[in-house]
Amino acid sequence: RSKVIDKLIARPSFTDYWTMKWGDLLQSNRKFLGEKGTYAFREWIRESIAANKPMDKIVRELLTSSGSSYDAPASNYFRVTRDAKATMEKTTQVFLGVRMVCAQCHDHPFERWTQNQYYQMSAFFSAVGMRPGYEIGEEIIFDQRRDYEMKHPKDSRVVMPEFLIASTAPVQIPSDQRRRDALADWLTSKQNPFFAKSIVNRIWSYFLGKGIIDPVDDIRASNPPVNPALLDALTKDFVDHNFDLQHLMRTIANSRTYQAAFTTNEWNQGDAENFSHAMPRRLTAEQLMD
C-alpha cells in the first residue's frame, strides 16, 4: 500500500492538486495580483510542493519575503491583504487556526484573546510597505524605517509587538532583525502550541472531509477536538518529522481510519463525528473538470 501511495505522490497531478489547494488558501488570484504576479506566486507554490519543502520553511518564506513581486514571488502574500491588521488576521487563521477578527473592536467573546493582543500581533506587520515597481503591475515589498508604528484605536498609544502566547518578558527584537523575522521564528517553532496542530488538522480535513477540530480555522478552548489523543499523536509525529507534509499525508492515507468503507453497521450508522466510517463526498469542481 505504501508503494502505491508513493507512486501517487510522484505523479504531476499530485503537485497540480496541492498547488491549487494552497493557491486558493493563500489567495493567489489575478484580481489581487495581476496576471504575472499570480503566475509567479503559483509557480513558487508549485515548486515548494514538488520539492516537498517543509511547512515551516514555506511559512517562513511567506512571512519574511521582500523585494519585487515578480522576482521574490512569496512577497505576493502581502499584496492581497495590503494592511497590517488584515495580514495578521489571515496569518493567524491560516497557520494557527485562530480567528482574531472578533478582537479588533473588543475582547474576543468566546476566547481569551483581547483587543490589546489583536493590535500587538498586528504590530509585527505594521512596517511592511509597498511601492510600485519598474514593470507594469509589479510592486516592491519593503520594510519602512519610520512612521509605521501600530496605534491603539482607543487612545492612539503606540502598540509594541507581542506574541499571542504571552511570555514573561516583552518581545525583544534585535536591532538587525525585522519584526516579521521574529514573528516567523515564533510562529514556526516546534514549541508553538498552535502551528503544527493547525496544519495537521487542516490536512486531515482534506482527506477525511472534516477536521478533528472543525471548523479547521477555529481552534479554541470552547471548540475541542473530537479525538484529542489522535490530534496530539499526529501533531507530535509531524513535528518529529520536521513538518514534512508528504510524510503526514502518507501517515493519514495508510491509516485504518482513512481506508474505512462508507458502509455502516448498527453501531456506527448514526455517527458523523468520530470517523468510524467514510463519509461520501461529491467530487470538487476542479476534479470534475480534470
Side-chain angles (χ1 to χ4, degrees), residues 88 100 102-108 112-124 150-155 157-164:
M88 182 278 293
M100 292 295 292
C102 287
Q104 180 174 359
C105 301
H106 49 74
D107 291 350
H108 200 297
R112 53 181 168 171
W113 316 127
T114 66
Q115 187 182 29
N116 286 341
Q117 286 180 300
Y118 179 97
Y119 288 94
Q120 288 167 346
M121 283 293 289
S122 297
F124 282 106
M150 178 63 61
K151 295 184 178 180
H152 200 287
K154 287 186 176 179
D155 53 16
R157 73 180 186 276
V158 172
V159 180
M160 299 307 294
E162 187 72 59
F163 298 135
L164 197 59

mmCIF file of all heavy atoms in Angstrom, residues 88 100 102-108 112-124 150-155 157-164:
data_model
loop_
_atom_site.group_PDB
_atom_site.id
_atom_site.type_symbol
_atom_site.label_atom_id
_atom_site.label_comp_id
_atom_site.label_asym_id
_atom_site.label_seq_id
_atom_site.Cartn_x
_atom_site.Cartn_y
_atom_site.Cartn_z
ATOM 1 N N MET A 88 -2.379 40.134 9.538
ATOM 2 C CA MET A 88 -2.328 39.388 10.792
ATOM 3 C C MET A 88 -3.507 38.431 10.902
ATOM 4 O O MET A 88 -3.344 37.257 11.283
ATOM 5 C CB MET A 88 -2.330 40.366 11.970
ATOM 6 C CG MET A 88 -2.219 39.694 13.346
ATOM 7 S SD MET A 88 -3.784 39.059 14.014
ATOM 8 C CE MET A 88 -4.697 40.571 14.295
ATOM 9 N N MET A 100 -8.838 35.871 14.876
ATOM 10 C CA MET A 100 -8.619 37.078 15.679
ATOM 11 C C MET A 100 -9.551 38.221 15.310
ATOM 12 O O MET A 100 -9.579 39.245 15.989
ATOM 13 C CB MET A 100 -7.165 37.544 15.511
ATOM 14 C CG MET A 100 -6.136 36.620 16.120
ATOM 15 S SD MET A 100 -6.266 36.526 17.925
ATOM 16 C CE MET A 100 -5.756 38.181 18.389
ATOM 17 N N CYS A 102 -12.593 38.971 15.617
ATOM 18 C CA CYS A 102 -13.549 39.458 16.614
ATOM 19 C C CYS A 102 -12.898 40.392 17.634
ATOM 20 O O CYS A 102 -13.588 41.178 18.287
ATOM 21 C CB CYS A 102 -14.208 38.290 17.345
ATOM 22 S SG CYS A 102 -15.419 37.393 16.351
ATOM 23 N N ALA A 103 -11.584 40.283 17.789
ATOM 24 C CA ALA A 103 -10.896 41.066 18.811
ATOM 25 C C ALA A 103 -10.467 42.440 18.315
ATOM 26 O O ALA A 103 -9.868 43.197 19.073
ATOM 27 C CB ALA A 103 -9.666 40.299 19.316
ATOM 28 N N GLN A 104 -10.790 42.785 17.078
ATOM 29 C CA GLN A 104 -10.380 44.098 16.573
ATOM 30 C C GLN A 104 -11.087 45.232 17.332
ATOM 31 O O GLN A 104 -10.474 46.254 17.627
ATOM 32 C CB GLN A 104 -10.664 44.219 15.075
ATOM 33 C CG GLN A 104 -10.259 45.576 14.504
ATOM 34 C CD GLN A 104 -10.399 45.655 12.995
ATOM 35 O OE1 GLN A 104 -10.780 44.684 12.344
ATOM 36 N NE2 GLN A 104 -10.104 46.807 12.430
ATOM 37 N N CYS A 105 -12.349 45.050 17.620
ATOM 38 C CA CYS A 105 -13.134 46.113 18.256
ATOM 39 C C CYS A 105 -13.354 45.898 19.747
ATOM 40 O O CYS A 105 -13.721 46.827 20.468
ATOM 41 C CB CYS A 105 -14.489 46.240 17.568
ATOM 42 S SG CYS A 105 -14.375 46.602 15.799
ATOM 43 N N HIS A 106 -13.176 44.656 20.221
ATOM 44 C CA HIS A 106 -13.412 44.353 21.634
ATOM 45 C C HIS A 106 -12.746 43.033 21.950
ATOM 46 O O HIS A 106 -12.327 42.310 21.040
ATOM 47 C CB HIS A 106 -14.922 44.259 21.917
ATOM 48 C CG HIS A 106 -15.656 43.388 20.944
ATOM 49 N ND1 HIS A 106 -15.575 42.012 20.962
ATOM 50 C CD2 HIS A 106 -16.475 43.706 19.900
ATOM 51 C CE1 HIS A 106 -16.316 41.511 19.983
ATOM 52 N NE2 HIS A 106 -16.870 42.514 19.312
ATOM 53 N N ASP A 107 -12.635 42.709 23.210
ATOM 54 C CA ASP A 107 -12.081 41.417 23.599
ATOM 55 C C ASP A 107 -12.926 40.302 22.994
ATOM 56 O O ASP A 107 -14.151 40.422 22.878
ATOM 57 C CB ASP A 107 -12.052 41.278 25.122
ATOM 58 C CG ASP A 107 -11.040 42.217 25.767
ATOM 59 O OD1 ASP A 107 -10.248 42.829 25.030
ATOM 60 O OD2 ASP A 107 -11.055 42.348 27.002
ATOM 61 N N HIS A 108 -12.258 39.210 22.609
ATOM 62 C CA HIS A 108 -12.952 38.102 21.944
ATOM 63 C C HIS A 108 -14.062 37.552 22.839
ATOM 64 O O HIS A 108 -13.825 37.264 24.021
ATOM 65 C CB HIS A 108 -11.947 36.993 21.616
ATOM 66 C CG HIS A 108 -12.418 36.049 20.558
ATOM 67 N ND1 HIS A 108 -13.525 35.245 20.707
ATOM 68 C CD2 HIS A 108 -11.925 35.773 19.323
ATOM 69 C CE1 HIS A 108 -13.692 34.508 19.619
ATOM 70 N NE2 HIS A 108 -12.743 34.815 18.761
ATOM 71 N N ARG A 112 -9.886 33.690 24.871
ATOM 72 C CA ARG A 112 -9.097 34.521 25.782
ATOM 73 C C ARG A 112 -8.424 35.702 25.096
ATOM 74 O O ARG A 112 -7.839 36.549 25.759
ATOM 75 C CB ARG A 112 -8.009 33.668 26.440
ATOM 76 C CG ARG A 112 -7.146 32.907 25.440
ATOM 77 C CD ARG A 112 -6.103 32.075 26.150
ATOM 78 N NE ARG A 112 -5.459 31.140 25.241
ATOM 79 C CZ ARG A 112 -4.393 30.415 25.570
ATOM 80 N NH1 ARG A 112 -3.863 30.539 26.762
ATOM 81 N NH2 ARG A 112 -3.874 29.571 24.701
ATOM 82 N N TRP A 113 -8.494 35.789 23.763
ATOM 83 C CA TRP A 113 -7.775 36.843 23.053
ATOM 84 C C TRP A 113 -8.409 38.209 23.306
ATOM 85 O O TRP A 113 -9.629 38.361 23.274
ATOM 86 C CB TRP A 113 -7.748 36.549 21.552
ATOM 87 C CG TRP A 113 -7.428 35.135 21.215
ATOM 88 C CD1 TRP A 113 -8.134 34.303 20.418
ATOM 89 C CD2 TRP A 113 -6.306 34.360 21.690
ATOM 90 N NE1 TRP A 113 -7.546 33.062 20.358
ATOM 91 C CE2 TRP A 113 -6.420 33.066 21.137
ATOM 92 C CE3 TRP A 113 -5.230 34.640 22.532
ATOM 93 C CZ2 TRP A 113 -5.498 32.061 21.381
ATOM 94 C CZ3 TRP A 113 -4.300 33.625 22.787
ATOM 95 C CH2 TRP A 113 -4.443 32.362 22.217
ATOM 96 N N THR A 114 -7.564 39.188 23.538
ATOM 97 C CA THR A 114 -8.034 40.528 23.855
ATOM 98 C C THR A 114 -7.802 41.496 22.692
ATOM 99 O O THR A 114 -7.051 41.192 21.755
ATOM 100 C CB THR A 114 -7.300 41.077 25.090
ATOM 101 O OG1 THR A 114 -5.906 41.257 24.757
ATOM 102 C CG2 THR A 114 -7.419 40.117 26.269
ATOM 103 N N GLN A 115 -8.426 42.662 22.799
ATOM 104 C CA GLN A 115 -8.213 43.687 21.784
ATOM 105 C C GLN A 115 -6.747 44.134 21.777
ATOM 106 O O GLN A 115 -6.176 44.399 20.705
ATOM 107 C CB GLN A 115 -9.129 44.882 22.041
ATOM 108 C CG GLN A 115 -9.088 45.926 20.927
ATOM 109 C CD GLN A 115 -9.972 47.123 21.219
ATOM 110 O OE1 GLN A 115 -10.194 47.477 22.372
ATOM 111 N NE2 GLN A 115 -10.484 47.752 20.175
ATOM 112 N N ASN A 116 -6.141 44.208 22.945
ATOM 113 C CA ASN A 116 -4.722 44.574 23.004
ATOM 114 C C ASN A 116 -3.870 43.581 22.230
ATOM 115 O O ASN A 116 -2.951 43.973 21.498
ATOM 116 C CB ASN A 116 -4.248 44.636 24.457
ATOM 117 C CG ASN A 116 -4.758 45.874 25.182
ATOM 118 O OD1 ASN A 116 -5.158 46.850 24.551
ATOM 119 N ND2 ASN A 116 -4.754 45.830 26.498
ATOM 120 N N GLN A 117 -4.177 42.287 22.379
ATOM 121 C CA GLN A 117 -3.414 41.266 21.660
ATOM 122 C C GLN A 117 -3.604 41.378 20.152
ATOM 123 O O GLN A 117 -2.678 41.111 19.381
ATOM 124 C CB GLN A 117 -3.819 39.875 22.149
ATOM 125 C CG GLN A 117 -3.284 39.539 23.524
ATOM 126 C CD GLN A 117 -3.718 38.154 23.959
ATOM 127 O OE1 GLN A 117 -4.908 37.869 24.058
ATOM 128 N NE2 GLN A 117 -2.759 37.287 24.209
ATOM 129 N N TYR A 118 -4.785 41.767 19.738
ATOM 130 C CA TYR A 118 -5.042 41.957 18.304
ATOM 131 C C TYR A 118 -4.053 42.957 17.714
ATOM 132 O O TYR A 118 -3.445 42.719 16.669
ATOM 133 C CB TYR A 118 -6.478 42.432 18.090
ATOM 134 C CG TYR A 118 -6.837 42.688 16.643
ATOM 135 C CD1 TYR A 118 -7.494 41.716 15.890
ATOM 136 C CD2 TYR A 118 -6.518 43.897 16.020
ATOM 137 C CE1 TYR A 118 -7.812 41.947 14.561
ATOM 138 C CE2 TYR A 118 -6.835 44.132 14.697
ATOM 139 C CZ TYR A 118 -7.482 43.151 13.971
ATOM 140 O OH TYR A 118 -7.790 43.388 12.642
ATOM 141 N N TYR A 119 -3.890 44.085 18.395
ATOM 142 C CA TYR A 119 -3.007 45.131 17.879
ATOM 143 C C TYR A 119 -1.534 44.820 18.137
ATOM 144 O O TYR A 119 -0.662 45.230 17.358
ATOM 145 C CB TYR A 119 -3.413 46.488 18.450
ATOM 146 C CG TYR A 119 -4.706 46.961 17.835
ATOM 147 C CD1 TYR A 119 -5.935 46.703 18.457
ATOM 148 C CD2 TYR A 119 -4.724 47.592 16.598
ATOM 149 C CE1 TYR A 119 -7.130 47.089 17.871
ATOM 150 C CE2 TYR A 119 -5.921 47.978 16.006
ATOM 151 C CZ TYR A 119 -7.114 47.725 16.641
ATOM 152 O OH TYR A 119 -8.303 48.082 16.030
ATOM 153 N N GLN A 120 -1.242 44.067 19.188
ATOM 154 C CA GLN A 120 0.139 43.635 19.414
ATOM 155 C C GLN A 120 0.603 42.690 18.301
ATOM 156 O O GLN A 120 1.736 42.794 17.819
ATOM 157 C CB GLN A 120 0.251 42.949 20.774
ATOM 158 C CG GLN A 120 0.139 43.894 21.948
ATOM 159 C CD GLN A 120 -0.058 43.170 23.270
ATOM 160 O OE1 GLN A 120 -0.368 41.968 23.307
ATOM 161 N NE2 GLN A 120 0.112 43.892 24.369
ATOM 162 N N MET A 121 -0.263 41.780 17.883
ATOM 163 C CA MET A 121 0.090 40.878 16.791
ATOM 164 C C MET A 121 0.153 41.622 15.452
ATOM 165 O O MET A 121 1.017 41.362 14.618
ATOM 166 C CB MET A 121 -0.924 39.732 16.713
ATOM 167 C CG MET A 121 -0.737 38.663 17.778
ATOM 168 S SD MET A 121 0.793 37.718 17.600
ATOM 169 C CE MET A 121 0.413 36.759 16.120
ATOM 170 N N SER A 122 -0.762 42.562 15.247
ATOM 171 C CA SER A 122 -0.751 43.345 14.003
ATOM 172 C C SER A 122 0.529 44.163 13.880
ATOM 173 O O SER A 122 1.010 44.426 12.769
ATOM 174 C CB SER A 122 -1.966 44.271 13.954
ATOM 175 O OG SER A 122 -3.180 43.552 13.931
ATOM 176 N N ALA A 123 1.092 44.572 15.017
ATOM 177 C CA ALA A 123 2.299 45.405 15.017
ATOM 178 C C ALA A 123 3.485 44.703 14.372
ATOM 179 O O ALA A 123 4.420 45.366 13.906
ATOM 180 C CB ALA A 123 2.646 45.820 16.448
ATOM 181 N N PHE A 124 3.464 43.374 14.301
ATOM 182 C CA PHE A 124 4.549 42.656 13.632
ATOM 183 C C PHE A 124 4.586 42.969 12.133
ATOM 184 O O PHE A 124 5.628 42.831 11.491
ATOM 185 C CB PHE A 124 4.398 41.148 13.834
ATOM 186 C CG PHE A 124 4.845 40.663 15.189
ATOM 187 C CD1 PHE A 124 3.918 40.296 16.148
ATOM 188 C CD2 PHE A 124 6.189 40.575 15.499
ATOM 189 C CE1 PHE A 124 4.331 39.849 17.396
ATOM 190 C CE2 PHE A 124 6.608 40.136 16.744
ATOM 191 C CZ PHE A 124 5.674 39.776 17.698
ATOM 192 N N MET A 150 2.130 50.814 14.980
ATOM 193 C CA MET A 150 0.722 50.461 15.168
ATOM 194 C C MET A 150 0.175 51.238 16.358
ATOM 195 O O MET A 150 0.792 51.278 17.415
ATOM 196 C CB MET A 150 0.587 48.956 15.403
ATOM 197 C CG MET A 150 -0.824 48.462 15.673
ATOM 198 S SD MET A 150 -1.964 48.720 14.293
ATOM 199 C CE MET A 150 -1.180 47.735 13.005
ATOM 200 N N LYS A 151 -0.986 51.870 16.178
ATOM 201 C CA LYS A 151 -1.590 52.646 17.258
ATOM 202 C C LYS A 151 -2.925 52.043 17.682
ATOM 203 O O LYS A 151 -3.701 51.592 16.836
ATOM 204 C CB LYS A 151 -1.765 54.104 16.829
ATOM 205 C CG LYS A 151 -0.438 54.819 16.592
ATOM 206 C CD LYS A 151 -0.648 56.292 16.273
ATOM 207 C CE LYS A 151 0.698 56.996 16.090
ATOM 208 N NZ LYS A 151 0.537 58.444 15.786
ATOM 209 N N HIS A 152 -3.168 52.071 18.964
ATOM 210 C CA HIS A 152 -4.413 51.518 19.508
ATOM 211 C C HIS A 152 -5.557 52.487 19.208
ATOM 212 O O HIS A 152 -5.419 53.703 19.404
ATOM 213 C CB HIS A 152 -4.282 51.312 21.015
ATOM 214 C CG HIS A 152 -5.274 50.347 21.570
ATOM 215 N ND1 HIS A 152 -6.617 50.650 21.716
ATOM 216 C CD2 HIS A 152 -5.131 49.067 22.002
ATOM 217 C CE1 HIS A 152 -7.243 49.609 22.224
ATOM 218 N NE2 HIS A 152 -6.373 48.629 22.413
ATOM 219 N N PRO A 153 -6.705 51.982 18.734
ATOM 220 C CA PRO A 153 -7.800 52.880 18.343
ATOM 221 C C PRO A 153 -8.449 53.622 19.510
ATOM 222 O O PRO A 153 -9.077 54.663 19.314
ATOM 223 C CB PRO A 153 -8.796 51.942 17.669
ATOM 224 C CG PRO A 153 -8.526 50.599 18.268
ATOM 225 C CD PRO A 153 -7.040 50.568 18.492
ATOM 226 N N LYS A 154 -8.308 53.110 20.734
ATOM 227 C CA LYS A 154 -8.990 53.735 21.868
ATOM 228 C C LYS A 154 -8.294 55.001 22.357
ATOM 229 O O LYS A 154 -8.947 55.968 22.733
ATOM 230 C CB LYS A 154 -9.119 52.733 23.017
ATOM 231 C CG LYS A 154 -10.164 51.647 22.767
ATOM 232 C CD LYS A 154 -10.345 50.767 23.984
ATOM 233 C CE LYS A 154 -11.461 49.739 23.752
ATOM 234 N NZ LYS A 154 -11.640 48.835 24.924
ATOM 235 N N ASP A 155 -6.955 54.980 22.354
ATOM 236 C CA ASP A 155 -6.238 56.134 22.901
ATOM 237 C C ASP A 155 -5.040 56.559 22.058
ATOM 238 O O ASP A 155 -4.264 57.419 22.475
ATOM 239 C CB ASP A 155 -5.782 55.835 24.331
ATOM 240 C CG ASP A 155 -4.994 54.530 24.423
ATOM 241 O OD1 ASP A 155 -4.548 54.017 23.381
ATOM 242 O OD2 ASP A 155 -4.830 54.019 25.547
ATOM 243 N N ARG A 157 -2.295 55.244 21.532
ATOM 244 C CA ARG A 157 -0.957 54.925 22.034
ATOM 245 C C ARG A 157 -0.270 53.943 21.082
ATOM 246 O O ARG A 157 -0.920 53.135 20.417
ATOM 247 C CB ARG A 157 -1.027 54.329 23.429
ATOM 248 C CG ARG A 157 -1.552 52.906 23.502
ATOM 249 C CD ARG A 157 -1.580 52.381 24.939
ATOM 250 N NE ARG A 157 -1.946 50.983 25.027
ATOM 251 C CZ ARG A 157 -3.183 50.520 25.044
ATOM 252 N NH1 ARG A 157 -4.193 51.374 24.965
ATOM 253 N NH2 ARG A 157 -3.422 49.222 25.142
ATOM 254 N N VAL A 158 1.037 54.027 21.020
ATOM 255 C CA VAL A 158 1.805 53.113 20.181
ATOM 256 C C VAL A 158 1.796 51.725 20.812
ATOM 257 O O VAL A 158 2.086 51.570 22.008
ATOM 258 C CB VAL A 158 3.258 53.609 20.014
ATOM 259 C CG1 VAL A 158 4.100 52.562 19.301
ATOM 260 C CG2 VAL A 158 3.272 54.919 19.235
ATOM 261 N N VAL A 159 1.437 50.728 20.003
ATOM 262 C CA VAL A 159 1.375 49.349 20.479
ATOM 263 C C VAL A 159 2.607 48.606 19.975
ATOM 264 O O VAL A 159 2.863 48.562 18.767
ATOM 265 C CB VAL A 159 0.096 48.639 19.980
ATOM 266 C CG1 VAL A 159 0.059 47.193 20.481
ATOM 267 C CG2 VAL A 159 -1.146 49.400 20.428
ATOM 268 N N MET A 160 3.354 48.031 20.886
ATOM 269 C CA MET A 160 4.544 47.278 20.516
ATOM 270 C C MET A 160 4.177 45.819 20.237
ATOM 271 O O MET A 160 3.211 45.291 20.805
ATOM 272 C CB MET A 160 5.580 47.346 21.637
ATOM 273 C CG MET A 160 6.052 48.763 21.947
ATOM 274 S SD MET A 160 6.647 49.646 20.465
ATOM 275 C CE MET A 160 8.103 48.669 20.071
ATOM 276 N N PRO A 161 4.924 45.150 19.368
ATOM 277 C CA PRO A 161 4.597 43.761 19.035
ATOM 278 C C PRO A 161 4.762 42.826 20.219
ATOM 279 O O PRO A 161 5.679 42.988 21.028
ATOM 280 C CB PRO A 161 5.597 43.423 17.917
ATOM 281 C CG PRO A 161 6.727 44.373 18.113
ATOM 282 C CD PRO A 161 6.114 45.622 18.634
ATOM 283 N N GLU A 162 3.861 41.871 20.325
ATOM 284 C CA GLU A 162 3.908 40.873 21.392
ATOM 285 C C GLU A 162 3.294 39.592 20.854
ATOM 286 O O GLU A 162 2.265 39.614 20.167
ATOM 287 C CB GLU A 162 3.121 41.360 22.608
ATOM 288 C CG GLU A 162 3.240 40.474 23.832
ATOM 289 C CD GLU A 162 4.599 40.562 24.496
ATOM 290 O OE1 GLU A 162 5.003 41.649 24.906
ATOM 291 O OE2 GLU A 162 5.256 39.500 24.563
ATOM 292 N N PHE A 163 3.927 38.463 21.139
ATOM 293 C CA PHE A 163 3.411 37.186 20.642
ATOM 294 C C PHE A 163 2.058 36.872 21.263
ATOM 295 O O PHE A 163 1.759 37.297 22.381
ATOM 296 C CB PHE A 163 4.403 36.062 20.952
ATOM 297 C CG PHE A 163 5.745 36.243 20.289
ATOM 298 C CD1 PHE A 163 6.919 36.046 20.994
ATOM 299 C CD2 PHE A 163 5.827 36.623 18.957
ATOM 300 C CE1 PHE A 163 8.151 36.212 20.392
ATOM 301 C CE2 PHE A 163 7.049 36.795 18.339
ATOM 302 C CZ PHE A 163 8.220 36.591 19.060
ATOM 303 N N LEU A 164 1.276 36.083 20.563
ATOM 304 C CA LEU A 164 -0.074 35.754 21.005
ATOM 305 C C LEU A 164 -0.062 35.013 22.336
ATOM 306 O O LEU A 164 -0.917 35.238 23.194
ATOM 307 C CB LEU A 164 -0.774 34.914 19.930
ATOM 308 C CG LEU A 164 -2.285 34.789 20.004
ATOM 309 C CD1 LEU A 164 -2.946 36.155 19.935
ATOM 310 C CD2 LEU A 164 -2.798 33.898 18.871
#
